[in-house]
Amino acid sequence: MAVISLSRRLRRTPFSDGVEAAGVKGYTVYNHMLLPTMFRSIEEDYRHLKAAVQVWDVACERQVELRGPDAGRLMQMLTPRDLRGMMPGQCFYVPIVDETGGMLNDPVAVKLAEDRWWISIADSDLLYWVKGLAYGFRLDVLVDEPDVSPLAVQGPKADALMARVFGDSVRDVRFFRFGWFDFHGRSLVVARSGYSKQGGFEIYVEGGDIGMPLWNALMEAGKDLDVHAGCPNLIERIEGGLLSYGNDMTAANTPHECGLGRFCNTHTAIGCVGRDALLRVAKEGPVKQIRAIEIHGDAVPPCDRAWPLMAGDRYVGRVTSAAWSPDFATNVAIGMVKMTHWDAGSEVDVVTPKGVQAVTVHETFWS
Ligand code: THG
C-alpha cells in the first residue's frame, strides 16, 4: 500500500499532533488539508460513535469569512436559500450555486453579525468564487480565510463532555444555533451541529495556538465517558443521508437533483446569481435525484469511482458512496437515480468492481 507524501501544500491542522498521538490509521485530503478517516477501524469507530463521544479534527472545514456592509448581500448572491429571516446566532445549511444553478459547495453558513459571516465549506475552492463576485460587483466586503478550525464533539455523550469543559449552559444551545463560550480566556463559537446523526457540537477554534490545549482538555475531561479521537464515519453518514460534495454531487448537479430543494427558496432569494437558471429547472423538476440505495448481498468494496446502476442493459443512475452497515446488516449507499427508477421499492442492479449486485431504491435514509 502506497502512502500519501506530506508537504507544505497538504496542510496539517492545529489538532494534527493529537490525531497522530491517538493513532490515526487513515487520512483523506479535504480543502488541501488532512482529514482523518479512521482510527481503530471504520466499524469500531462507527460503534463507538453511536455509543459514546468522539472528538473530531474537522479543521479542513475551512471558513470563508465575509466582513463588511455588503456581507449579507454577498451571502445571498451565493445561495438560493432565502436568508432574510436568519438571525445572528443561527447556522444554515446552504446550497451554493453558480450562474447555471450547478452546486459549487454545500456549506454551513454561520451568521456572526449582520456584517460578519463564516461559510464553513465542503471540499471545493469556494474562496476564489466568492472573492471574484466581491471584486466583480465592487462590493464593500472583505473576503478571506481566517485562522478558524472546527473541532467537532459528536455522539450520545457529547452534552456531558461539553458541559464539563464549557459549563452547563452549553446544553441550552439549540440545533443549528450557536453561542459564545470561553476557553483559556478566548471566546469561541460553539454550535450544536456536526456531520453525524448522533448529536453533538462544533467548536470553531479561533487561533491555532489553543487547538491542542482544547483537544487535551476534552480528552482529559472525558476519560470516564470513554472519549476517543474520531472522524466523520463513512457508514454512519451514509445511513444518515449526509451528502459528500465531490462524491455524491458536483457542479454538474442542481440542488434539486441533490434532494436539497428543501433548502431552496428560489422565488424569494433575490440576488442569488443562479436564480434564473434554478427557476427554470425547478419548474420542470429534476429528471434524476439522490436516493438512499440498498445493495443486497456481500459487503461491497470502497466506492472510489461511480458504480453504474443498470436496469437490464439500460443505464439508470449511479452509486457514489457505499459501505456495509453492521446495524442494518446490508450495504447502505447513496446514488443518483433517473426518474424512471427512483420510486421507492424500485429494483435494479449495481455494477461494482467485484461484480453485479441487486439493489433496492429507497425514498428515505436509514436514520
Ligand atoms: N459542519 C460544518 N462545516 C461543514 C460540515 C459540517 N463543512 C463541510 C460539510 N460538513 C458540509 N456539508 C454538510 C452536509 C450536511 C450537514 C452539514 C454540512 C448537515 N445536515 C443535516 C441533515 O441533513 O440532516 C441538517 C441540515 C438542516 O436541517 O439544516 O448537518 O458538518 N461546520
Side-chain angles (χ1 to χ4, degrees), residues 30 61 63 81 92-93 105-108 120-123 150 175-176 193-195 197 202 204 240-243 262-263:
Y30 195 101
E61 296 169 353
Q63 309 305 301
R81 186 161 177 183
F92 271 17
Y93 181 42
N105 206 290
D106 69 327
V108 175
S120 186
I121 63 172
D123 186 22
F175 187 62
F176 266 58
S193 56
Y195 199 64
K197 289 285 190 181
E202 290 178 303
Y204 290 79
L242 296 172
L243 305 182
R262 66 187 187 281
F263 299 110

Side-chain angles (χ1 to χ4, degrees), residues 15-27 36-41 45 215 219 228-231:
F15 319 110
S16 288
D17 290 343
V19 161
E20 285 161 7
V24 64
K25 287 212 182 87
Y27 283 116
T37 53
M38 173 169 55
F39 282 87
R40 292 180 277 212
S41 73
D45 292 353
W215 175 280
M219 291 300 173
H228 199 278
C231 52

Side-chain angles (χ1 to χ4, degrees), residues 160-167 170 182-183 203 214 217-219 221-222:
L161 175 54
M162 287 293 283
R164 291 179 189 181
V165 174
F166 291 99
V170 82
D182 275 1
F183 181 77
I203 308 156
L214 177 57
L218 287 162
M219 291 300 173

